[in-house]
Amino acid sequence: MGQQNMIQAFLKASIMMVAVVFLLMLAYLGYALVLAWRIKKLNQAMQKVLDESGQLHIQMPSHKAGDEIGQLSRGIESMLIEMREYTQYLKDLGSRLSHEMKTPLAIVQSSLDNLEYEYTPEFLERAQLGTKRLRFILNQLSELSQLKYTLEQTPKQNIDLAELVGELSQSYKSFIPILTTEIKHKSLMINGSAELLAQMIDKLM
């Protein structure tokens, strides 16, 4: 009788072990299916990132999850955001180039026109200043094609802001004769980029 009870206990233990293993296999299979479904959704989202109108769809499925797939989704989103910024930069490049160069070109053109009638070192100096600023703008636009470019990378030096504004005002007068400028400070020293400040004043003009 005791031997029969031992056999029954052994059989029950064996059945329990088989049941536990079976449940573990089901759980693993379920997790694998969910994982495969999430990867499939991520793959489908990647294939539809760029629509027919050229718009980028940034948000990825599972981007809030804390596991590896969530990390992958967030990494893809970060990459797509940089791609969208760069694409937008390329779209705006034409109008930006035209806008940035309008004032320096006007300065050079007016100086050359004046040189046809009267040669003075002042007109030649303005033309040279205009070409220098055009060269700076082209270099800057080239560097801006790199997404990590920042204003902090532009070299800075001590400059007299009052003197800079005075020089620019004289350049603007060559094609805006009615322009008048009042500078209240004889000297105002700052640390910055004369070229970037000149661009900013160009935009104001």
Side-chain angles (χ1 to χ4, degrees):
M1 188 72 177
Q3 186 177 4
Q4 186 177 1
N5 290 335
M6 288 180 61
I7 293 174
Q8 290 178 351
F10 176 75
L11 289 174
K12 288 181 180 180
S14 299
I15 293 172
M16 287 291 294
M17 289 181 62
V18 171
V20 169
V21 171
F22 182 71
L23 289 174
L24 289 174
M25 290 180 63
L26 283 178
Y28 180 77
L29 178 61
Y31 175 75
L33 289 174
V34 171
L35 196 62
W37 177 78
R38 291 173 64 193
I39 294 174
K40 182 179 179 181
K41 294 289 288 184
L42 183 60
N43 180 53
Q44 291 175 346
M46 283 292 296
Q47 292 177 358
K48 298 177 181 178
V49 163
L50 189 65
D51 60 20
E52 296 179 356
S53 63
Q55 295 295 321
L56 283 172
H57 298 281
I58 303 299
Q59 188 168 333
M60 293 286 106
S62 301
H63 68 282
K64 293 183 179 180
D67 57 6
E68 287 78 4
I69 294 182
Q71 292 178 359
L72 177 61
S73 296
R74 290 188 292 274
I76 292 173
E77 286 183 357
S78 178
M79 178 189 67
L80 291 175
I81 289 172
E82 290 191 354
M83 287 179 60
R84 182 175 62 184
E85 292 175 354
Y86 184 62
T87 302
Q88 188 62 43
Y89 166 80
L90 292 177
K91 288 180 180 179
D92 296 339
L93 182 59
S95 59
R96 181 178 299 175
L97 186 62
S98 174
H99 180 72
E100 294 286 350
M101 290 189 167
K102 187 176 296 182
T103 303
L105 280 173
I107 293 173
V108 173
Q109 184 62 52
S110 62
S111 299
L112 293 175
D113 291 340
N114 289 326
L115 283 173
E116 291 182 4
Y117 301 101
E118 178 185 4
Y119 172 79
T120 62
E122 182 182 0
F123 292 143
L124 182 60
E125 184 180 351
R126 289 177 188 171
Q128 290 174 341
L129 178 62
T131 55
K132 178 183 176 182
R133 285 167 59 192
L134 286 173
R135 197 160 44 242
F136 172 80
I137 290 171
L138 287 173
N139 291 336
Q140 189 184 39
L141 287 171
S142 175
E143 291 174 350
L144 281 172
S145 63
Q146 303 173 10
L147 289 177
K148 300 304 180 183
Y149 176 83
T150 61
L151 292 176
E152 284 73 16
Q153 290 175 283
T154 303
K156 297 178 179 63
Q157 58 184 353
N158 291 325
I159 56 176
D160 188 341
L161 185 58
E163 181 182 350
L164 175 65
V165 172
E167 292 176 353
L168 291 172
S169 299
Q170 292 300 318
S171 299
Y172 297 146
K173 281 184 179 179
S174 61
F175 63 96
I176 311 177
I178 63 172
L179 177 67
T180 59
T181 307
E182 179 183 356
I183 302 176
K184 295 183 178 180
H185 298 274
K186 291 184 178 180
S187 179
L188 183 61
M189 300 302 297
I190 63 170
N191 184 263
S193 167
E195 289 80 7
L196 288 178
L197 285 168
Q199 280 186 265
M200 181 188 70
I201 297 173
D202 285 349
K203 291 180 175 64
L204 292 175
M205 295 304 297

